[in-house]
Amino acid sequence: MPSLKDLKNRITSVKNTRKITKAMQMVAAAKLRRGQDAAEAGRPYAARMEAVVTGLAASVAGSDSAPRLLAGTGNDKVHLLVVMTAERGLCGGFNSSIVKLARARANELLANGKTVKILTVGKKGREQLKRDLSAHLVGHIDLSEVKRIGYDNARAIASEVLARFEGGEFDVATLFFNRFQSVISQIPTAQQVIPAKAGAAVETSAVYDYEPSEEAILADLLPRSVATQIFTALLENGASEQGARMSAMDNATRNAGDMITKYTTIYNRSRQAAITKELIEIISGAEAL
Amino acid sequence: MADTMQFDLVSPERKLLSAQASEVQIPGAEGDLTAMPGHTPTITTLRPGVLKVVVGGSVSEYAVTGGFAEISPEGVSVLAERSVAKSDVTQALLDGWVAEAHRASKAAASDEAGKLVADMVAMGSQLGLTAQVPNG
């Protein structure tokens, strides 16, 4: 049976924890809104880019002059997994769910005799993957100094990925990130970026003139499209992280509240027990006289 | 034929301008072109340059680099990796872009990348700034 003083200390400490988690929840809520706005603002560009690239890809695909980013290397041996996670923890299952998906994919590829290379973005994913897949980690991009994800960050990642592709280091690249669904639900997503997927030919109402040629435009746009997809993934991930952190902290705050109620009850009960005990002692002492 | 068309200028981070324009001058990779309502559907890549938009008789200018323009009879949308209103382009910003293009051209060592630097410089002089091309 803990003493009254212990209980009191315990209650104070849980109350302090609750204050912290509450504050973190509020901060996450504010950042979430900003993250959502950013994701929203980036959507028109990404959507337009995708539409044009898919359209072009559909018309160029199959021809011999198709750029390598579209046609691929002709092989399917080496896979690059770009695993995007958060720089910080305390956001529920956010990091683990991405890592879980990436790990499952990596193991599946390995079982099929493919080579797996992993490029991590964000510290937390690297820490988790280091345990069992450390041999496959080929690089890491640190964003912990970045306060606000900008397109330049995405470009830096894209140029790293593209340089590796040009260097023949891999055949297929896949992005792993959490797609933001709502505050309580983020969907771990795997998205193949290289080679670009040529969607079903979309019949646009207008037939476009291309200047310069279709191939030249496509060659110019594909690297940009990779950067755009990475940028979108980063933004989605950012919003998801804050959403996950917000609900995790909300839970923690609620749990702390429950704990405080529980401990306060125990505290009051033992206080009363102590008083009763003292009374009994006094009364029985008086009776003995 | 309508007098105006929908014009959108989008960068990856946000939508810069969405307005009814009567005329848009685009710095295309193969030369400048002016899009007016009813233009043939065209897709062109951009070179670094100055984009001019006429909205309701007033002209606004943007410095744009990298991206493409999609022109249809009903509207024009320009997707530029970087686009900055002309008044916001500073010497330092331009120098940064030129330096970056220069580094890229050193790395690639192709005519195309060299052209990028030249285009940047030309854009600078169009904006009334003199770009410093790093030596070596």
Side-chain angles (χ1 to χ4, degrees):
Chain A
M1 187 74 192
S3 76
L4 281 181
K5 196 159 167 23
D6 288 345
L7 277 170
K8 192 145 204 173
N9 286 342
R10 194 68 195 266
I11 292 172
T12 326
S13 98
V14 176
K15 272 189 179 156
N16 284 337
T17 312
R18 183 172 66 170
K19 264 184 216 152
I20 295 169
T21 55
K22 182 90 195 165
M24 282 182 78
Q25 184 201 337
M26 311 256 241
V27 172
K31 284 193 181 161
L32 168 67
R33 227 192 33 141
R34 246 184 294 154
Q36 265 178 304
D37 287 348
E40 201 69 46
R43 223 157 269 165
Y45 185 90
R48 205 64 67 77
M49 178 67 101
E50 197 193 332
V52 171
V53 169
T54 342
L56 274 171
S59 63
V60 175
S63 78
D64 294 334
S65 54
R68 268 166 38 122
L69 278 173
L70 174 65
T73 52
N75 282 323
D76 181 29
K77 287 226 58 72
V78 187
H79 286 248
L80 180 77
L81 310 184
V82 183
V83 182
M84 299 176 163
T85 52
E87 291 291 344
R88 299 194 297 151
L90 288 180
C91 40
F94 174 79
N95 290 315
S96 322
S97 61
I98 303 174
V99 169
K100 213 161 98 189
L101 183 70
R103 182 176 288 144
R105 173 67 65 86
N107 288 334
E108 184 193 322
L109 289 171
L110 286 172
N112 288 334
K114 315 263 192 224
T115 313
V116 172
K117 291 182 175 175
I118 299 174
L119 177 71
T120 50
V121 180
K123 194 174 69 187
K124 287 288 159 186
R126 184 176 187 79
E127 282 168 8
Q128 292 191 25
L129 286 168
K130 224 164 30 186
R131 275 178 233 149
D132 49 348
L133 293 166
S134 60
H136 302 285
L137 296 176
V138 289
H140 175 63
I141 290 161
D142 191 9
L143 292 178
S144 57
E145 300 299 316
V146 180
K147 285 241 155 54
R148 217 191 146 126
I149 300 281
Y151 186 65
D152 286 338
N153 301 121
R155 272 229 309 216
I157 300 174
S159 60
E160 160 114 24
V161 171
L162 290 172
R164 285 173 190 274
F165 184 70
E166 294 300 328
E169 284 189 42
F170 64 88
D171 303 315
V172 181
T174 314
L175 297 180
F176 288 87
F177 63 100
N178 265 333
R179 194 176 283 286
F180 184 80
Q181 188 81 13
S182 71
V183 176
I184 44 164
S185 130
Q186 295 88 31
I187 302 163
T189 312
Q191 184 177 324
Q192 182 183 321
V193 285
I194 300 174
K197 266 184 282 190
V202 193
E203 281 304 321
T204 40
S205 51
V207 178
Y208 285 102
D209 283 346
Y210 293 98
E211 194 182 310
S213 65
E214 291 183 23
E215 280 90 358
I217 293 187
L218 199 57
D220 184 58
L221 287 191
L222 280 171
R224 294 189 205 286
S225 151
V226 170
T228 309
Q229 287 182 54
I230 290 177
F231 185 55
T232 311
L234 282 176
L235 290 179
E236 290 277 338
N237 227 13
S240 301
E241 179 194 343
Q242 298 307 336
R245 176 165 297 128
M246 194 176 125
S247 52
M249 287 302 120
D250 185 40
N251 274 337
T253 310
R254 213 169 308 133
N255 284 345
D258 289 350
M259 220 165 169
I260 290 168
T261 324
K262 203 178 89 195
Y263 278 123
T264 314
T265 318
I266 298 178
Y267 173 77
N268 286 339
R269 220 173 264 159
S270 22
R271 194 174 53 95
Q272 277 169 334
I275 294 170
T276 317
K277 205 174 110 201
E278 257 172 54
L279 274 177
I280 291 171
E281 277 167 7
I282 293 168
I283 292 167
S284 38
E287 268 177 8
L289 285 175
Chain B
M1 193 173 75
D3 296 340
T4 59
M5 58 186 170
Q6 179 62 37
F7 172 72
D8 295 305
L9 177 61
V10 218
S11 80
E13 282 159 24
R14 63 202 176 94
K15 209 174 212 173
L16 271 106
L17 182 68
S18 177
Q20 290 293 320
S22 52
E23 185 181 329
V24 186
Q25 286 178 31
I26 299 164
E30 310 256 281
D32 286 8
L33 56 104
T34 303
M36 296 179 88
H39 196 284
T40 325
T42 305
I43 290 180
T44 177
T45 46
L46 301 179
R47 67 177 158 76
V50 180
L51 180 95
K52 286 186 190 161
V53 195
V54 184
V55 178
S58 63
V59 184
S60 39
E61 292 177 298
Y62 293 87
V64 294
T65 75
F68 66 95
E70 188 184 358
I71 305 167
S72 70
E74 298 81 36
V76 174
S77 43
V78 173
L79 279 78
E81 270 195 350
R82 293 208 185 96
S83 48
V84 179
K86 185 190 171 186
S87 54
D88 294 341
V89 181
T90 58
Q91 184 72 48
L93 194 62
L94 182 69
D95 283 345
W97 291 356
V98 172
E100 189 185 311
H102 188 69
R103 268 199 306 281
S105 78
K106 292 292 281 182
S110 68
D111 290 351
E112 219 168 294
K115 187 173 172 294
L116 195 65
V117 180
D119 283 338
M120 289 266 186
V121 175
M123 176 172 81
S125 59
Q126 222 174 328
L127 292 168
L129 298 169
T130 317
Q132 307 286 325
V133 180
N135 296 317

